[in-house]
Each structure stands twice: as structure tokens, then as C-alpha cells.
Amino acid sequence: MQKLRAEGSQFTDRGTVDYVIVGVGSAGGVLLQRLARAGFKVLGLEAGPFWDTEKDWLSDEAGSNKLYWEDLRITGGVNPISLGANNSGKGVGGGSVHWAAFTPRLHPSDFQVYSLDGVGTNWPISYEDLKPYYELLELEMPVSGPAWFPWGDPHGYAYGPHPLGEVGDVLVRGCTKLGIRVCAGGPVAILAGSHDDRPHCIYRGYCIQGCKVGAKASTLITHVPDALRHGAEIRDYSMASRIALGPNNRVEGVFYFDREGTERFQRAKAVIVAGYAIETPRLLLNSACPEYPMGLANSSDTVGRYLMVQAGNVILGRFRNLVRMYKAPPAHALTEEFYETDPKRDFARGFAIQTVGPLPIAFGKQMMAAMGAWGWGLRRVMMDYNHWSALGLLGEILPWHANRVTLAKETDQFGIPVAHVHFNLFDNDKKLIEFGKNKVMEVMSAAGAEQVVQEQRYAHLVGAARMGADPGTSVVDKFGRTHDVPNLFICDGSIMPTQGSANPGLTIQALAARTADYLIMQGERIFRSDLRELTAPTPRVDLSPAGTFRKGIPRPHASWIFSRRIAHAKA
């Protein structure tokens, strides 16, 4: 297994770097790597540790808790969401260290939700703007998947799919019996075969506990090493507390607490916030100043608003034969047959059905919620673990103005006010969840389950600093540049205006690569000019980490050939 080391200090607080990136997770890792390769002086501040994958990570479910952001947060609302292990990471690599690595793309319709369905909002960019970055990141991770993926913008994958685990077989059997199209073997950012210095997956099921093998992609593995080789610096255990606004409406740098708890200040020509959907708005709100009393870059009162999670109900079925959920990546089969709005249903938008493979502790918690199992009853269920299969609903919850992040009166260990998260489900959300839950239970029964139960839960976090063309209703423009402050950028899942029914990891990294190309194209102008040049950059394939671009199974024109065959058949 490769050994990663943080390089020594490249910069000092007394000097000024080009970019400070707050948060070295999914987006921050990609930005750090791209900007360093382009020759900028770039520094990443990360609240958590720089992981030593050999010493810090364990092949143990209980031992993985340190991967998550478990610091104090306050939740409320009618339908409060859980924060921590399910949706937040702390440490270099962020949530990508413990994600399941499902990497479906958003559909073209996701960028025009309001125009098509009259709900939510439109993105200021189209699917076509992001498509070349989807293709690029699928090679950089890389993504294993089928030669043909039929939903959204149909496409194939350069790296072959994973073999089908028994959980995937459950999904395939149930969907096939009901006449539902289904896809097996990915798309998932886990190596089905070895790649450069990374070994292939050994199918032991510890994907969301931090992959000690190195087969699963995280920016810690895929992008951070290349960033360090090109002169970037990462300061771990560095908790950002406030962004400083200087003269002429320009930020000057970031205050942060180091590993000793000492407050320090790093000067920068520009700041990029990549702290994700809770910590990004929290930092901006804590950076309130006389010029922006409601929070930095918050003249629109939109920072913290339109927070979204996805419906993430887990449906569990007991089978007579052994399943052994751990013997495959949790994420390796899905259907997006119900992804788009169907006029026959009484709600807008849709959902996906995906495999999940909870290990025993997570399974026990789910059974407590789904069955009320406790004591001896829970022990009996746990002894039956290998006969159970789990499928996940992944449904689109819409962006609502009232779902938001604010500051609580409570503070963290540094004395910084923590996030208060208020969340409610609305009528469309409730109808979607009810229909989707019942459909997944139907699939599980069709696969032959003798008993079917379900746990209601949420998955993923996005929104709370959304992008848009109107400065009055959004925080950043289509390149992540804040409308209010010309040298302050946001680039992470918080800028997503809607979320679709796809796991957000790939989209977050694709947005980061696009923003990096824009910043590189603008060059020094970003640091000194207020002019907002909105010309789209040309995708820079030369900035990919070495050994990733133009690799894979040689089938680059599979989707074109397939579409031509369909056209010919119709003719």
C-alpha cells in the first residue's frame, strides 16, 4: 500500500499565498491539485488530520468513527436530520474517505428543474457545461462501470464493471421480475483491476470505513499526492474561524486555530471555501463584519438557506439463502428508472434504487429503528445477519427557503459558534418518499424476501450557498465566485441549487475541476480586478494527475455507436 506523507511547510503566515482553500475534501482536494499544477502558491487548511492510512485506519467498523465530523452541531425542525457519520467527513479527503463511492452523473433535467417541472430552481449552467468534467473525473478516480449506462445522458465507462455481489443480485432479480431496467457493476469509484500503484478491490466490504487497501477513490489518494508533488501545502488540524475582509471589498486571508489551539492568520490573494454544506455557511456567517452584518457574502440573505438532503430510506429483506452483504462493495448496482418526473404520479421529480451493504453495527441500528428490536430480540436478528439484504432509496428532496443553517448560541472547543440546522419535509417530499419506499419494498419482495422492513433516514448534504445568475437569490455565480466579494470563492456541495437523485460526490469534484480551469484561465486578474468575466474555460486535460487521462478499456465511442444503431433501427 502506498504511504502518503504531508510535505514540510512551503509557506509562512508572514507571507501571502495566491489561494487559501478552506477544507481539503472532495472539492478542496481537486482544487488544490489543479491550482498547484498550474503553478500557483496554494495552501489548504483542513480541520482534521492528514491521515496515515496504514496507522490511522482500521479494518473495524467501530474504529471508523474518527473519520466523521462528530463535533457539536445543533439540529431542529419538524423533521430534523442526523449529522456526522452519514454525511460529514473530517480529515484530508473529507467525506470522500468514507463515502460508498457511487458515482452516477446528474441528468440533463436536473439543471432545468424549474423550467421543466415548476419546482425548485434552475442551475446557471447546463449538463453540457459539466459533461466534459464528468468524463475527466471518471478517468481520474477512476470509475468502474458498465459499457452502457442507459439513463440521463446515456454513456459508458472506460473501466470495466465489478462482479455482481449477492446484494446486487437481489436488486437485479427483483427489478427483472417487475420489468424494471437495472444496471450492475457500477458506476463506482472503486478499482475492479489494479491501477498504477493502487491495488484492485478485494471485496471485504469496509468501503465506508476508510479503504485501507487503496482501491476506493478519495481525494486523499487520487489528487492530494499530486498536489503535494507540485508545491501545494496542507496544514492539518487547522480550524478556520473567520475570513478577513480588507479594504476595497476584498478578502485578505483566513484566521484559523492550529493544532495547539493558537489562533493564526494566513494572508492570501484569494480565498476558496470548500467546507461543505454545514461548515461553509457556518464560516461565512461567523465572518460577519460591518460591511456584511448578516454574514460575509450574504447581502442576499441566502447563505445557509436551501439546505438539502436526499431521502435515504433503507429497505431490508430476509432471505432463506445466505446473502452476506459484506462480500461486495456496498455500492455496485442501481436503477434510475424512476429518476424523472412522471405525470402519472402526484409529485415532482423522482428517485433511484441502489444497493447498500451495512456492516453488523449499522445493521443493528437499522433493525432497532425498523423493527423496534431490542435485547434478546435484537440478538436473534443479529445472528441472522447473513440472511438479510439491504437496498437504499435515494430520492430528491427539493430546495426550500426555510431549510437552513444558522448559528447556535453554543460554541465549539475553539469558542466558535456552532451550526444550527433547521429542516422540514414538505408535501412533495413526503409523497416522493412514500411512493419510493413502497416501490423499493416491492422490488425486495419480488426478489424473494420472506420478510421486508424499512428504516426512514436521510443521505448526503448539499445546498446552503447556492449558485445562480441573480445576486438577489444566490450566493455565487456559475464559477463559484461570490456575488458580493470578487476574490472570495465557494466550491463544494453547498453551491448546488438542486440535487437530483444521484450521489453528489462526482458532481462536486467535476464542479471543482471546472472552477479550477476558470481560475487558471483568469490568472492574476482574479486577485486585482472586479471585472466578472464569465467566459467558460476549455477543459484542461493536461492538469489531470499523471497516469489517469487516456487510460481504460478502449471503447470511447460506445455511446455514439449505440445511438447510431438506434437511429438506424428507427429509420
Side-chain angles (χ1 to χ4, degrees), residues 102 161-174 176 182-186 192 203 323-325 327-334 355 391:
F102 248 139
H162 286 269
L164 194 65
E166 183 60 27
V167 178
D169 192 48
V170 166
L171 180 61
V172 169
R173 289 202 316 267
T176 301
V182 64
C183 180
Y203 304 109
V323 176
R324 294 193 176 97
M325 288 188 283
K327 281 188 172 289
H332 73 277
L334 80 164
T355 57
L391 300 177

PDB file of all heavy atoms in Angstrom, residues 102 161-174 176 182-186 192 203 323-325 327-334 355 391:
ATOM      1  N   PHE A 102     -20.371   5.542  -4.922  1.00  0.00           N
ATOM      2  CA  PHE A 102     -21.290   5.556  -6.065  1.00  0.00           C
ATOM      3  C   PHE A 102     -21.071   6.859  -6.821  1.00  0.00           C
ATOM      4  O   PHE A 102     -21.033   7.934  -6.234  1.00  0.00           O
ATOM      5  CB  PHE A 102     -22.744   5.495  -5.595  1.00  0.00           C
ATOM      6  CG  PHE A 102     -23.449   4.214  -5.939  1.00  0.00           C
ATOM      7  CD1 PHE A 102     -24.291   3.609  -5.011  1.00  0.00           C
ATOM      8  CD2 PHE A 102     -23.317   3.621  -7.189  1.00  0.00           C
ATOM      9  CE1 PHE A 102     -24.962   2.433  -5.311  1.00  0.00           C
ATOM     10  CE2 PHE A 102     -23.977   2.442  -7.497  1.00  0.00           C
ATOM     11  CZ  PHE A 102     -24.800   1.846  -6.562  1.00  0.00           C
ATOM     12  N   PRO A 161     -16.792  -3.164 -15.256  1.00  0.00           N
ATOM     13  CA  PRO A 161     -17.595  -3.229 -14.041  1.00  0.00           C
ATOM     14  C   PRO A 161     -17.083  -4.256 -13.043  1.00  0.00           C
ATOM     15  O   PRO A 161     -16.282  -5.131 -13.362  1.00  0.00           O
ATOM     16  CB  PRO A 161     -18.965  -3.647 -14.571  1.00  0.00           C
ATOM     17  CG  PRO A 161     -18.651  -4.454 -15.798  1.00  0.00           C
ATOM     18  CD  PRO A 161     -17.459  -3.781 -16.415  1.00  0.00           C
ATOM     19  N   HIS A 162     -17.589  -4.141 -11.832  1.00  0.00           N
ATOM     20  CA  HIS A 162     -17.311  -5.117 -10.782  1.00  0.00           C
ATOM     21  C   HIS A 162     -18.197  -6.346 -10.961  1.00  0.00           C
ATOM     22  O   HIS A 162     -19.297  -6.251 -11.515  1.00  0.00           O
ATOM     23  CB  HIS A 162     -17.575  -4.513  -9.405  1.00  0.00           C
ATOM     24  CG  HIS A 162     -16.531  -3.539  -8.968  1.00  0.00           C
ATOM     25  ND1 HIS A 162     -15.421  -3.909  -8.249  1.00  0.00           N
ATOM     26  CD2 HIS A 162     -16.418  -2.200  -9.169  1.00  0.00           C
ATOM     27  CE1 HIS A 162     -14.672  -2.845  -8.015  1.00  0.00           C
ATOM     28  NE2 HIS A 162     -15.250  -1.798  -8.564  1.00  0.00           N
ATOM     29  N   PRO A 163     -17.753  -7.496 -10.474  1.00  0.00           N
ATOM     30  CA  PRO A 163     -18.643  -8.662 -10.469  1.00  0.00           C
ATOM     31  C   PRO A 163     -19.812  -8.417  -9.517  1.00  0.00           C
ATOM     32  O   PRO A 163     -19.725  -7.618  -8.583  1.00  0.00           O
ATOM     33  CB  PRO A 163     -17.746  -9.797  -9.961  1.00  0.00           C
ATOM     34  CG  PRO A 163     -16.653  -9.102  -9.210  1.00  0.00           C
ATOM     35  CD  PRO A 163     -16.435  -7.797  -9.905  1.00  0.00           C
ATOM     36  N   LEU A 164     -20.889  -9.101  -9.770  1.00  0.00           N
ATOM     37  CA  LEU A 164     -22.117  -8.891  -9.016  1.00  0.00           C
ATOM     38  C   LEU A 164     -22.055  -9.600  -7.671  1.00  0.00           C
ATOM     39  O   LEU A 164     -21.829 -10.815  -7.604  1.00  0.00           O
ATOM     40  CB  LEU A 164     -23.306  -9.419  -9.826  1.00  0.00           C
ATOM     41  CG  LEU A 164     -24.701  -9.014  -9.377  1.00  0.00           C
ATOM     42  CD1 LEU A 164     -24.889  -7.508  -9.523  1.00  0.00           C
ATOM     43  CD2 LEU A 164     -25.751  -9.741 -10.214  1.00  0.00           C
ATOM     44  N   GLY A 165     -22.258  -8.840  -6.590  1.00  0.00           N
ATOM     45  CA  GLY A 165     -22.401  -9.434  -5.274  1.00  0.00           C
ATOM     46  C   GLY A 165     -23.837  -9.902  -5.074  1.00  0.00           C
ATOM     47  O   GLY A 165     -24.738  -9.590  -5.860  1.00  0.00           O
ATOM     48  N   GLU A 166     -24.091 -10.629  -3.988  1.00  0.00           N
ATOM     49  CA  GLU A 166     -25.429 -11.163  -3.760  1.00  0.00           C
ATOM     50  C   GLU A 166     -26.444 -10.055  -3.506  1.00  0.00           C
ATOM     51  O   GLU A 166     -27.609 -10.179  -3.888  1.00  0.00           O
ATOM     52  CB  GLU A 166     -25.413 -12.147  -2.587  1.00  0.00           C
ATOM     53  CG  GLU A 166     -26.749 -12.823  -2.317  1.00  0.00           C
ATOM     54  CD  GLU A 166     -27.274 -13.629  -3.503  1.00  0.00           C
ATOM     55  OE1 GLU A 166     -26.454 -14.106  -4.316  1.00  0.00           O
ATOM     56  OE2 GLU A 166     -28.509 -13.780  -3.619  1.00  0.00           O
ATOM     57  N   VAL A 167     -26.027  -8.939  -2.885  1.00  0.00           N
ATOM     58  CA  VAL A 167     -26.945  -7.816  -2.703  1.00  0.00           C
ATOM     59  C   VAL A 167     -27.350  -7.253  -4.065  1.00  0.00           C
ATOM     60  O   VAL A 167     -28.521  -6.947  -4.304  1.00  0.00           O
ATOM     61  CB  VAL A 167     -26.313  -6.719  -1.831  1.00  0.00           C
ATOM     62  CG1 VAL A 167     -27.260  -5.537  -1.697  1.00  0.00           C
ATOM     63  CG2 VAL A 167     -25.969  -7.258  -0.456  1.00  0.00           C
ATOM     64  N   GLY A 168     -26.368  -7.128  -4.966  1.00  0.00           N
ATOM     65  CA  GLY A 168     -26.691  -6.692  -6.315  1.00  0.00           C
ATOM     66  C   GLY A 168     -27.597  -7.662  -7.028  1.00  0.00           C
ATOM     67  O   GLY A 168     -28.487  -7.266  -7.783  1.00  0.00           O
ATOM     68  N   ASP A 169     -27.374  -8.944  -6.776  1.00  0.00           N
ATOM     69  CA  ASP A 169     -28.213  -9.957  -7.402  1.00  0.00           C
ATOM     70  C   ASP A 169     -29.659  -9.841  -6.918  1.00  0.00           C
ATOM     71  O   ASP A 169     -30.603 -10.064  -7.677  1.00  0.00           O
ATOM     72  CB  ASP A 169     -27.668 -11.353  -7.093  1.00  0.00           C
ATOM     73  CG  ASP A 169     -28.304 -12.426  -7.950  1.00  0.00           C
ATOM     74  OD1 ASP A 169     -28.374 -12.232  -9.177  1.00  0.00           O
ATOM     75  OD2 ASP A 169     -28.742 -13.448  -7.386  1.00  0.00           O
ATOM     76  N   VAL A 170     -29.838  -9.473  -5.647  1.00  0.00           N
ATOM     77  CA  VAL A 170     -31.190  -9.243  -5.124  1.00  0.00           C
ATOM     78  C   VAL A 170     -31.875  -8.126  -5.907  1.00  0.00           C
ATOM     79  O   VAL A 170     -33.034  -8.245  -6.330  1.00  0.00           O
ATOM     80  CB  VAL A 170     -31.136  -8.909  -3.625  1.00  0.00           C
ATOM     81  CG1 VAL A 170     -32.471  -8.337  -3.138  1.00  0.00           C
ATOM     82  CG2 VAL A 170     -30.770 -10.142  -2.811  1.00  0.00           C
ATOM     83  N   LEU A 171     -31.156  -7.014  -6.110  1.00  0.00           N
ATOM     84  CA  LEU A 171     -31.738  -5.902  -6.865  1.00  0.00           C
ATOM     85  C   LEU A 171     -32.049  -6.303  -8.297  1.00  0.00           C
ATOM     86  O   LEU A 171     -33.119  -5.987  -8.832  1.00  0.00           O
ATOM     87  CB  LEU A 171     -30.789  -4.699  -6.839  1.00  0.00           C
ATOM     88  CG  LEU A 171     -31.271  -3.459  -7.605  1.00  0.00           C
ATOM     89  CD1 LEU A 171     -32.566  -2.930  -7.023  1.00  0.00           C
ATOM     90  CD2 LEU A 171     -30.191  -2.371  -7.591  1.00  0.00           C
ATOM     91  N   VAL A 172     -31.129  -7.019  -8.931  1.00  0.00           N
ATOM     92  CA  VAL A 172     -31.336  -7.439 -10.321  1.00  0.00           C
ATOM     93  C   VAL A 172     -32.523  -8.387 -10.424  1.00  0.00           C
ATOM     94  O   VAL A 172     -33.368  -8.259 -11.319  1.00  0.00           O
ATOM     95  CB  VAL A 172     -30.057  -8.085 -10.885  1.00  0.00           C
ATOM     96  CG1 VAL A 172     -30.331  -8.752 -12.224  1.00  0.00           C
ATOM     97  CG2 VAL A 172     -28.952  -7.042 -11.030  1.00  0.00           C
ATOM     98  N   ARG A 173     -32.628  -9.350  -9.501  1.00  0.00           N
ATOM     99  CA  ARG A 173     -33.742 -10.292  -9.540  1.00  0.00           C
ATOM    100  C   ARG A 173     -35.085  -9.590  -9.357  1.00  0.00           C
ATOM    101  O   ARG A 173     -36.046  -9.830 -10.092  1.00  0.00           O
ATOM    102  CB  ARG A 173     -33.588 -11.353  -8.444  1.00  0.00           C
ATOM    103  CG  ARG A 173     -32.492 -12.350  -8.668  1.00  0.00           C
ATOM    104  CD  ARG A 173     -32.709 -13.644  -7.870  1.00  0.00           C
ATOM    105  NE  ARG A 173     -33.133 -13.435  -6.501  1.00  0.00           N
ATOM    106  CZ  ARG A 173     -32.302 -13.360  -5.463  1.00  0.00           C
ATOM    107  NH1 ARG A 173     -30.987 -13.441  -5.660  1.00  0.00           N
ATOM    108  NH2 ARG A 173     -32.764 -13.206  -4.242  1.00  0.00           N
ATOM    109  N   GLY A 174     -35.141  -8.703  -8.366  1.00  0.00           N
ATOM    110  CA  GLY A 174     -36.395  -8.012  -8.105  1.00  0.00           C
ATOM    111  C   GLY A 174     -36.810  -7.109  -9.247  1.00  0.00           C
ATOM    112  O   GLY A 174     -37.978  -7.099  -9.660  1.00  0.00           O
ATOM    113  N   THR A 176     -35.840  -7.301 -12.427  1.00  0.00           N
ATOM    114  CA  THR A 176     -36.123  -8.102 -13.623  1.00  0.00           C
ATOM    115  C   THR A 176     -37.520  -8.696 -13.560  1.00  0.00           C
ATOM    116  O   THR A 176     -38.267  -8.683 -14.554  1.00  0.00           O
ATOM    117  CB  THR A 176     -35.072  -9.214 -13.773  1.00  0.00           C
ATOM    118  OG1 THR A 176     -33.775  -8.632 -13.863  1.00  0.00           O
ATOM    119  CG2 THR A 176     -35.339 -10.038 -15.021  1.00  0.00           C
ATOM    120  N   VAL A 182     -32.262  -2.295 -14.934  1.00  0.00           N
ATOM    121  CA  VAL A 182     -31.327  -2.233 -13.821  1.00  0.00           C
ATOM    122  C   VAL A 182     -29.908  -2.343 -14.355  1.00  0.00           C
ATOM    123  O   VAL A 182     -29.676  -2.917 -15.432  1.00  0.00           O
ATOM    124  CB  VAL A 182     -31.632  -3.355 -12.792  1.00  0.00           C
ATOM    125  CG1 VAL A 182     -31.416  -4.729 -13.402  1.00  0.00           C
ATOM    126  CG2 VAL A 182     -30.821  -3.194 -11.518  1.00  0.00           C
ATOM    127  N   CYS A 183     -28.964  -1.773 -13.626  1.00  0.00           N
ATOM    128  CA  CYS A 183     -27.569  -1.732 -14.061  1.00  0.00           C
ATOM    129  C   CYS A 183     -26.694  -2.336 -12.964  1.00  0.00           C
ATOM    130  O   CYS A 183     -26.866  -2.018 -11.784  1.00  0.00           O
ATOM    131  CB  CYS A 183     -27.166  -0.284 -14.325  1.00  0.00           C
ATOM    132  SG  CYS A 183     -25.476  -0.067 -14.868  1.00  0.00           S
ATOM    133  N   ALA A 184     -25.773  -3.195 -13.317  1.00  0.00           N
ATOM    134  CA  ALA A 184     -24.925  -3.875 -12.335  1.00  0.00           C
ATOM    135  C   ALA A 184     -23.451  -3.566 -12.581  1.00  0.00           C
ATOM    136  O   ALA A 184     -23.034  -3.285 -13.700  1.00  0.00           O
ATOM    137  CB  ALA A 184     -25.151  -5.382 -12.404  1.00  0.00           C
ATOM    138  N   GLY A 185     -22.650  -3.614 -11.506  1.00  0.00           N
ATOM    139  CA  GLY A 185     -21.203  -3.453 -11.618  1.00  0.00           C
ATOM    140  C   GLY A 185     -20.688  -2.047 -11.451  1.00  0.00           C
ATOM    141  O   GLY A 185     -19.495  -1.796 -11.550  1.00  0.00           O
ATOM    142  N   GLY A 186     -21.555  -1.095 -11.164  1.00  0.00           N
ATOM    143  CA  GLY A 186     -21.172   0.300 -11.015  1.00  0.00           C
ATOM    144  C   GLY A 186     -22.276   1.198 -11.533  1.00  0.00           C
ATOM    145  O   GLY A 186     -23.397   0.728 -11.738  1.00  0.00           O
ATOM    146  N   ALA A 192     -11.818  -2.161 -10.103  1.00  0.00           N
ATOM    147  CA  ALA A 192     -12.078  -3.571 -10.385  1.00  0.00           C
ATOM    148  C   ALA A 192     -10.795  -4.282 -10.808  1.00  0.00           C
ATOM    149  O   ALA A 192     -10.706  -5.511 -10.761  1.00  0.00           O
ATOM    150  CB  ALA A 192     -13.139  -3.705 -11.480  1.00  0.00           C
ATOM    151  N   TYR A 203     -12.972  -6.950  -2.082  1.00  0.00           N
ATOM    152  CA  TYR A 203     -14.365  -7.323  -1.765  1.00  0.00           C
ATOM    153  C   TYR A 203     -14.558  -7.767  -0.318  1.00  0.00           C
ATOM    154  O   TYR A 203     -15.168  -8.784  -0.053  1.00  0.00           O
ATOM    155  CB  TYR A 203     -14.859  -8.386  -2.744  1.00  0.00           C
ATOM    156  CG  TYR A 203     -14.740  -7.928  -4.170  1.00  0.00           C
ATOM    157  CD1 TYR A 203     -13.782  -8.473  -5.033  1.00  0.00           C
ATOM    158  CD2 TYR A 203     -15.534  -6.902  -4.649  1.00  0.00           C
ATOM    159  CE1 TYR A 203     -13.639  -8.011  -6.328  1.00  0.00           C
ATOM    160  CE2 TYR A 203     -15.399  -6.436  -5.947  1.00  0.00           C
ATOM    161  CZ  TYR A 203     -14.461  -6.989  -6.774  1.00  0.00           C
ATOM    162  OH  TYR A 203     -14.314  -6.525  -8.057  1.00  0.00           O
ATOM    163  N   VAL A 323     -26.937 -14.344   2.055  1.00  0.00           N
ATOM    164  CA  VAL A 323     -26.670 -13.164   1.241  1.00  0.00           C
ATOM    165  C   VAL A 323     -25.245 -12.661   1.482  1.00  0.00           C
ATOM    166  O   VAL A 323     -24.498 -12.423   0.555  1.00  0.00           O
ATOM    167  CB  VAL A 323     -27.693 -12.047   1.544  1.00  0.00           C
ATOM    168  CG1 VAL A 323     -27.345 -10.778   0.763  1.00  0.00           C
ATOM    169  CG2 VAL A 323     -29.106 -12.512   1.197  1.00  0.00           C
ATOM    170  N   ARG A 324     -24.881 -12.473   2.736  1.00  0.00           N
ATOM    171  CA  ARG A 324     -23.553 -11.960   3.123  1.00  0.00           C
ATOM    172  C   ARG A 324     -23.296 -10.597   2.483  1.00  0.00           C
ATOM    173  O   ARG A 324     -22.547 -10.459   1.522  1.00  0.00           O
ATOM    174  CB  ARG A 324     -22.452 -12.948   2.737  1.00  0.00           C
ATOM    175  CG  ARG A 324     -22.509 -14.278   3.496  1.00  0.00           C
ATOM    176  CD  ARG A 324     -21.207 -15.059   3.297  1.00  0.00           C
ATOM    177  NE  ARG A 324     -21.199 -16.287   4.077  1.00  0.00           N
ATOM    178  CZ  ARG A 324     -21.533 -17.483   3.587  1.00  0.00           C
ATOM    179  NH1 ARG A 324     -21.910 -17.597   2.330  1.00  0.00           N
ATOM    180  NH2 ARG A 324     -21.488 -18.557   4.353  1.00  0.00           N
ATOM    181  N   MET A 325     -23.935  -9.563   3.043  1.00  0.00           N
ATOM    182  CA  MET A 325     -23.884  -8.219   2.457  1.00  0.00           C
ATOM    183  C   MET A 325     -22.472  -7.657   2.357  1.00  0.00           C
ATOM    184  O   MET A 325     -22.213  -6.774   1.537  1.00  0.00           O
ATOM    185  CB  MET A 325     -24.746  -7.270   3.288  1.00  0.00           C
ATOM    186  CG  MET A 325     -26.237  -7.497   3.127  1.00  0.00           C
ATOM    187  SD  MET A 325     -27.220  -6.214   3.924  1.00  0.00           S
ATOM    188  CE  MET A 325     -27.106  -6.671   5.651  1.00  0.00           C
ATOM    189  N   LYS A 327     -19.796  -9.024   1.294  1.00  0.00           N
ATOM    190  CA  LYS A 327     -18.946  -9.605   0.252  1.00  0.00           C
ATOM    191  C   LYS A 327     -19.106  -8.900  -1.091  1.00  0.00           C
ATOM    192  O   LYS A 327     -19.366  -9.524  -2.113  1.00  0.00           O
ATOM    193  CB  LYS A 327     -19.261 -11.094   0.105  1.00  0.00           C
ATOM    194  CG  LYS A 327     -18.620 -11.959   1.187  1.00  0.00           C
ATOM    195  CD  LYS A 327     -18.804 -13.429   0.901  1.00  0.00           C
ATOM    196  CE  LYS A 327     -18.002 -14.291   1.861  1.00  0.00           C
ATOM    197  NZ  LYS A 327     -16.559 -14.201   1.604  1.00  0.00           N
ATOM    198  N   ALA A 328     -18.984  -7.605  -1.073  1.00  0.00           N
ATOM    199  CA  ALA A 328     -19.021  -6.795  -2.289  1.00  0.00           C
ATOM    200  C   ALA A 328     -18.930  -5.336  -1.854  1.00  0.00           C
ATOM    201  O   ALA A 328     -19.205  -5.019  -0.695  1.00  0.00           O
ATOM    202  CB  ALA A 328     -20.312  -7.024  -3.072  1.00  0.00           C
ATOM    203  N   PRO A 329     -18.551  -4.431  -2.749  1.00  0.00           N
ATOM    204  CA  PRO A 329     -18.696  -3.015  -2.399  1.00  0.00           C
ATOM    205  C   PRO A 329     -20.166  -2.731  -2.097  1.00  0.00           C
ATOM    206  O   PRO A 329     -21.054  -3.240  -2.800  1.00  0.00           O
ATOM    207  CB  PRO A 329     -18.246  -2.289  -3.676  1.00  0.00           C
ATOM    208  CG  PRO A 329     -17.406  -3.269  -4.411  1.00  0.00           C
ATOM    209  CD  PRO A 329     -17.981  -4.615  -4.097  1.00  0.00           C
ATOM    210  N   PRO A 330     -20.480  -1.965  -1.068  1.00  0.00           N
ATOM    211  CA  PRO A 330     -21.884  -1.645  -0.799  1.00  0.00           C
ATOM    212  C   PRO A 330     -22.585  -1.058  -2.025  1.00  0.00           C
ATOM    213  O   PRO A 330     -23.762  -1.329  -2.270  1.00  0.00           O
ATOM    214  CB  PRO A 330     -21.797  -0.619   0.339  1.00  0.00           C
ATOM    215  CG  PRO A 330     -20.487  -0.870   0.988  1.00  0.00           C
ATOM    216  CD  PRO A 330     -19.570  -1.333  -0.103  1.00  0.00           C
ATOM    217  N   ALA A 331     -21.848  -0.271  -2.796  1.00  0.00           N
ATOM    218  CA  ALA A 331     -22.392   0.379  -3.986  1.00  0.00           C
ATOM    219  C   ALA A 331     -21.916  -0.356  -5.231  1.00  0.00           C
ATOM    220  O   ALA A 331     -20.751  -0.258  -5.595  1.00  0.00           O
ATOM    221  CB  ALA A 331     -21.928   1.834  -4.031  1.00  0.00           C
ATOM    222  N   HIS A 332     -22.809  -1.110  -5.876  1.00  0.00           N
ATOM    223  CA  HIS A 332     -22.373  -1.717  -7.140  1.00  0.00           C
ATOM    224  C   HIS A 332     -23.515  -2.073  -8.088  1.00  0.00           C
ATOM    225  O   HIS A 332     -23.273  -2.643  -9.145  1.00  0.00           O
ATOM    226  CB  HIS A 332     -21.492  -2.947  -6.881  1.00  0.00           C
ATOM    227  CG  HIS A 332     -22.230  -4.159  -6.394  1.00  0.00           C
ATOM    228  ND1 HIS A 332     -22.550  -4.351  -5.079  1.00  0.00           N
ATOM    229  CD2 HIS A 332     -22.700  -5.257  -7.049  1.00  0.00           C
ATOM    230  CE1 HIS A 332     -23.180  -5.506  -4.928  1.00  0.00           C
ATOM    231  NE2 HIS A 332     -23.286  -6.069  -6.114  1.00  0.00           N
ATOM    232  N   ALA A 333     -24.762  -1.727  -7.752  1.00  0.00           N
ATOM    233  CA  ALA A 333     -25.878  -1.943  -8.679  1.00  0.00           C
ATOM    234  C   ALA A 333     -26.963  -0.924  -8.372  1.00  0.00           C
ATOM    235  O   ALA A 333     -27.132  -0.514  -7.216  1.00  0.00           O
ATOM    236  CB  ALA A 333     -26.423  -3.366  -8.557  1.00  0.00           C
ATOM    237  N   LEU A 334     -27.693  -0.502  -9.389  1.00  0.00           N
ATOM    238  CA  LEU A 334     -28.737   0.504  -9.188  1.00  0.00           C
ATOM    239  C   LEU A 334     -29.704   0.520 -10.360  1.00  0.00           C
ATOM    240  O   LEU A 334     -29.428  -0.032 -11.426  1.00  0.00           O
ATOM    241  CB  LEU A 334     -28.139   1.896  -9.019  1.00  0.00           C
ATOM    242  CG  LEU A 334     -27.695   2.675 -10.277  1.00  0.00           C
ATOM    243  CD1 LEU A 334     -27.515   4.155  -9.942  1.00  0.00           C
ATOM    244  CD2 LEU A 334     -26.428   2.107 -10.866  1.00  0.00           C
ATOM    245  N   THR A 355     -27.967  -0.472  -4.272  1.00  0.00           N
ATOM    246  CA  THR A 355     -27.535  -1.440  -3.265  1.00  0.00           C
ATOM    247  C   THR A 355     -26.836  -0.718  -2.127  1.00  0.00           C
ATOM    248  O   THR A 355     -26.131   0.270  -2.325  1.00  0.00           O
ATOM    249  CB  THR A 355     -26.559  -2.469  -3.861  1.00  0.00           C
ATOM    250  OG1 THR A 355     -25.427  -1.775  -4.426  1.00  0.00           O
ATOM    251  CG2 THR A 355     -27.230  -3.303  -4.923  1.00  0.00           C
ATOM    252  N   LEU A 391     -31.427  -2.609   0.447  1.00  0.00           N
ATOM    253  CA  LEU A 391     -31.483  -1.722  -0.709  1.00  0.00           C
ATOM    254  C   LEU A 391     -31.800  -0.317  -0.221  1.00  0.00           C
ATOM    255  O   LEU A 391     -32.526  -0.136   0.760  1.00  0.00           O
ATOM    256  CB  LEU A 391     -32.544  -2.179  -1.711  1.00  0.00           C
ATOM    257  CG  LEU A 391     -32.384  -3.576  -2.305  1.00  0.00           C
ATOM    258  CD1 LEU A 391     -33.565  -3.906  -3.218  1.00  0.00           C
ATOM    259  CD2 LEU A 391     -31.068  -3.693  -3.082  1.00  0.00           C
TER     260      LEU A 391
END
